[in-house]
Amino acid sequence: MTFWKRLLGRPLSRYAAADQRLPNIQALPILASDALSSVAYATEAALGVLVLGGSAALGLSVPITVAIIALIAIVVLSYRQAISAYPQGGGSYVVVRENLGRNVGLIAAAALLIDYTLTAAVSLMAGTQAISSLLPELRQHEVSFALLLLALVGWANLRGLKEAGRVFAIPTYAFVVMVVVLTVAGLKDLTFSHGFVPDPPPLVKAIEPLGLFLILRAFSSGCSAMTGIEAIANGVQVFQEPADRNARKTLLVMGILLSGMFFAISGLGFMYGVAPSSDLTVIAQIGTRVFGPNSVLLWAMQISTLLILVLAANTAFSGFPRLAAMLADDQCLPRQMRWVGDRLVHQNGIGVLLGVTALIIFICRGDTTVAVNLYALGVFTAFTLSQLGLVKRWWQRHGNGWRGRLLMNALGAVATFVVLVVIVVSKFEEGAWTVVIAIPLLIWALTRIRKRYRALYSAMALPVDFVLPRMEPHHPLIGNRCVVWVPRICRPTMQAVRYACSIADQVVAVAVLERPEDEPAALEQWKRLVGEGPMVPQLVLLQSPYSSLIDPFRQYVMEQEHAAPPGVSVTVVIPVAIPRDRFDKLLLNQRANVLYESLADDRSRVFSVVRSFIT
């Protein structure tokens, strides 16, 4: 077994994809860890703004929390509607694309791509800060520690969905249990020892006047508690059947847990007069007051916080590759983003997310202060657009109970749009301007890729009058057999087939299907283009038991070489489209390059690379 197979595990059969679906109890930690972990820093984010108004302003954290919880309820109920409307999953991008158009859908996609990368970075950096609150000597190594945690999360996801579910379930539930223990212990202390009179917070001089703008800034910072809510709607296909019903149940459970935990942390922080500190996180300060300094429960609390914050990055590793694959299907990202690896995950998407997240951690130097203020912007952009898309859907289709559904999604659209405006205005100078600029730039890149794919596929299309000439009955080069790789039926492929017919007396075109149900259509298209009879190239369709489309073709070539009689050579013909622009090389021929390297690495073999220039 090779090193990579030992590291990532043996390849999984495509037929094992259904076995990779998870029960609710395992799907919850994979898809909800981001939302649940946000209670570890959302209260602190709101207090970090309120403290600018002085000590007296910190008491507003509780009403702000209540307002955010009401917003959470609206969004959760709205996304339950989205799951009912789109039981196959897809989240905001699919909803917006199908109801508001492809161009508007790209706005949601760009916002989510940025949000996923920031989610991964913020979660890992916040987890590092949680443990450095107990071990101050780690503070100078926070960047290195966060990068190490990033590598571990990426490795777990590359091993497959079910493996990630097993790894992530226990820490997520451990954090929920520790917050419950913290809440119960805090209520016991407030009831029997402390009393329900809030402690005054440390005296802090006001830097800014306590006005509506400051309160709205604190509210927008606290809305970081809502990141990750959409993940369940995006990942419906993760659940066991009936997937949509299980996803709706899990989303409701997540909303209840998130609201209860968020209120508990904010309420205890208010009662104990907790203020933001550069030495201890808010949740660590609460734990110190409730459990006592250096207690076992305090350590358990901080370690569980570290673990769930690390696992919260997994929401991004679940959502980003799936969204990137959907964009690749829509020709808005390079096609290799939709490739499925041996462990039935979109490994290229995971690799891109690993690289971008590492860059953000390095740029931020392990500090969440800036990044945490940015990634709520993408979340609420996607929230608002998806709710508007559902409003249009119910208005056009009506159906049973459509008025109630329309009102629910309209309320969600208005609420999330108001929050979006508040975030943009209040956080613009604190770094939100970077996201405001990044989203249009990413949309431009996605539309340019889509435009180039359309131009390239149009240039590679077969002429209407295309006819493949029949092979000569007595070819002068008797003894030459050609195996032509068919990635798709287009002009470069058929030119390669025509060339093979000119040099061989036997030509076999071989295509490896991703889906068995595509076989009848492929045979019909080939018959229409080539015709029938002994003197035309035969099309062989192979099924791939695993994710690789290269290995079945390679195995077929080896079988043909083994079966060939003495004196008969086998030539592998590979069509390659040569685009005009260098940028287009990223969009085409990647699988052809992998195929050539795979075949050339095995043994001596004859190749013919047929190049077709695309203008």
Side-chain angles (χ1 to χ4, degrees):
M1 185 183 295
T2 65
F3 170 76
W4 288 111
K5 287 186 177 180
R6 289 182 183 275
L7 185 66
L8 302 180
R10 294 180 180 274
L12 294 173
S13 169
R14 288 178 180 269
Y15 306 107
D19 295 335
Q20 291 291 297
R21 290 178 176 256
L22 302 176
N24 295 2
I25 198 169
Q26 287 187 0
L28 177 66
I30 280 189
L31 297 175
S33 55
D34 179 23
L36 296 179
S37 69
S38 64
V39 303
Y41 53 80
T43 299
E44 185 164 10
L47 290 174
V49 177
L50 288 174
V51 75
L52 299 176
S55 302
L58 296 176
L60 293 174
S61 63
V62 174
I64 286 175
T65 298
V66 172
I68 294 173
I69 289 174
L71 189 58
I72 289 173
I74 293 173
V75 173
V76 166
L77 293 175
S78 297
Y79 270 109
R80 279 170 58 87
Q81 304 267 49
I83 294 173
S84 297
Y86 295 91
Q88 75 278 10
S92 294
Y93 173 61
V94 173
V95 173
V96 177
R97 181 191 64 189
E98 294 192 5
N99 293 284
L100 301 180
R102 291 186 177 273
N103 291 331
V104 182
L106 291 182
I107 300 176
L112 284 173
L113 289 174
I114 292 172
D115 170 62
Y116 282 135
T117 56
L118 289 171
T119 293
V122 168
S123 298
L124 293 168
M125 291 188 293
T128 303
Q129 291 175 348
I131 198 65
S132 64
S133 295
L134 292 179
L135 300 172
E137 56 270 19
L138 284 180
R139 289 176 188 161
Q140 59 181 337
H141 304 294
E142 284 183 342
V143 173
S144 300
F145 193 53
L147 293 175
L148 174 62
L149 295 175
L150 173 64
L152 291 175
V153 174
W155 168 74
N157 278 274
L158 286 171
R159 286 188 63 88
L161 187 62
K162 203 151 194 170
E163 295 265 359
R166 294 191 186 103
V167 171
F168 298 157
I170 294 177
T172 300
Y173 289 120
F175 176 75
V176 173
V177 169
M178 287 309 304
V179 172
V180 172
V181 171
L182 178 70
T183 304
V184 172
L187 289 174
K188 178 183 176 183
D189 178 62
L190 293 173
T191 303
F192 297 105
S193 302
H194 181 280
F196 282 91
V197 177
D199 288 340
L203 291 177
V204 180
K205 183 179 180 181
I207 300 177
E208 298 182 17
L210 179 60
L212 178 62
F213 186 70
L214 185 66
I215 295 173
L216 290 176
R217 284 174 58 195
F219 173 79
S220 63
S221 295
C223 282
S224 58
M226 298 182 63
T227 57
I229 287 180
E230 192 203 42
I232 291 178
N234 282 343
V236 175
Q237 294 178 345
V238 168
F239 291 87
Q240 291 180 345
E241 296 294 345
D244 56 334
R245 187 183 306 170
N246 287 328
R248 284 166 55 86
K249 289 180 181 178
T250 305
L251 180 60
L252 183 60
V253 170
M254 184 202 71
I256 294 171
L257 286 175
L258 173 60
S259 300
M261 294 163 63
F262 187 27
F263 183 77
I265 297 298
S266 296
L268 290 174
F270 171 71
M271 294 303 297
Y272 288 114
V274 172
S277 169
S278 59
D279 297 325
L280 290 176
T281 61
V282 165
I283 197 170
Q285 293 181 60
I286 297 171
T288 302
R289 291 291 302 271
V290 173
F291 298 136
N294 296 320
S295 68
V296 174
L297 288 176
L298 176 62
W299 276 86
M301 181 79 227
Q302 290 303 99
I303 291 174
S304 66
T305 302
L306 162 67
L307 292 177
I308 195 173
L309 284 168
V310 171
L311 302 187
N314 185 70
T315 300
F317 279 91
S318 174
F320 183 96
R322 291 175 182 274
L323 177 58
M326 285 189 283
L327 288 168
D329 278 331
D330 291 341
Q331 301 176 5
C332 296
L333 281 178
R335 299 286 290 176
Q336 50 266 41
M337 295 300 291
R338 65 185 294 272
W339 292 0
V340 177
D342 288 340
R343 300 293 292 181
L344 303 182
V345 293
H346 298 289
Q347 59 186 21
N348 290 334
I350 292 175
V352 170
L353 182 59
L354 278 169
V356 177
T357 302
L359 180 62
I360 294 174
I361 292 173
F362 183 78
I363 291 174
C364 293
R365 308 303 301 169
D367 186 3
T368 63
T369 303
V370 175
V372 78
N373 290 326
L374 302 183
Y375 77 130
L377 182 59
V379 173
F380 280 91
T381 300
F383 281 169
T384 302
L385 291 175
S386 65
Q387 303 310 308
L388 288 174
L390 288 172
V391 167
K392 183 177 180 181
R393 177 186 177 89
W394 305 133
W395 178 261
Q396 290 180 335
R397 301 195 179 191
H398 291 192
N400 187 28
W402 70 275
R403 289 185 177 87
R405 294 180 176 184
L406 187 148
L407 289 175
M408 172 57 67
N409 289 125
L411 177 61
V414 172
T416 54
F417 178 72
V418 170
V419 176
L420 176 61
V421 172
V422 169
I423 293 174
V424 172
V425 174
S426 63
K427 300 293 183 182
F428 190 82
E429 295 183 357
E430 297 179 28
W433 62 270
T434 59
V435 180
V436 172
I437 294 175
I439 289 178
L441 287 177
L442 186 53
I443 293 171
W444 172 81
L446 295 174
T447 53
R448 186 184 177 197
I449 292 173
R450 184 176 63 185
K451 182 179 179 180
R452 287 308 304 156
Y453 264 126
R454 288 177 176 175
L456 290 171
Y457 286 152
S458 175
M460 290 191 298
L462 285 169
V464 177
D465 57 348
F466 175 84
V467 176
L468 186 70
R470 289 176 174 263
M471 298 165 55
E472 295 293 335
H474 302 288
H475 202 279
L477 298 179
I478 300 295
N480 189 19
R481 180 180 301 173
C482 284
V483 178
V484 184
W485 180 56
V486 180
R488 57 182 292 160
I489 298 178
C490 58
R491 182 164 61 85
T493 299
M494 299 312 293
Q495 286 179 346
V497 173
R498 177 178 288 174
Y499 167 78
C501 292
S502 70
I503 66 169
D505 59 299
Q506 183 180 359
V507 176
V508 179
V510 181
V512 184
L513 298 179
E514 292 188 46
R515 301 178 302 176
E517 56 268 26
D518 293 338
E519 182 171 340
L523 289 173
E524 179 62 28
Q525 185 180 12
W526 186 262
K527 178 180 176 181
R528 186 173 64 252
L529 290 172
V530 177
E532 295 181 289
M535 303 312 298
V536 299
Q538 301 302 305
L539 177 65
V540 174
L541 299 177
L542 303 178
Q543 305 292 336
S544 177
Y546 297 98
S547 64
S548 175
L549 302 182
I550 301 299
D551 289 344
F553 183 85
R554 180 173 176 270
Q555 183 64 32
Y556 181 85
V557 170
M558 294 174 64
E559 291 173 356
Q560 292 296 304
E561 290 173 337
H562 181 74
V568 175
S569 63
V570 176
T571 300
V572 180
V573 181
I574 301 176
V576 173
I578 306 300
R580 178 188 57 193
D581 298 329
R582 291 183 179 181
F583 171 77
D584 295 338
K585 293 181 180 179
L586 295 174
L587 308 181
L588 297 176
N589 301 324
Q590 298 303 314
R591 189 159 268 152
N593 295 333
V594 175
L595 173 66
Y596 179 81
E597 292 175 2
S598 175
L599 289 169
D601 190 48
D602 179 61
R603 49 170 288 184
S604 299
R605 188 169 279 124
V606 180
F607 291 95
S608 287
V609 177
V610 180
R611 304 198 307 167
S612 299
F613 287 90
I614 306 300
T615 59

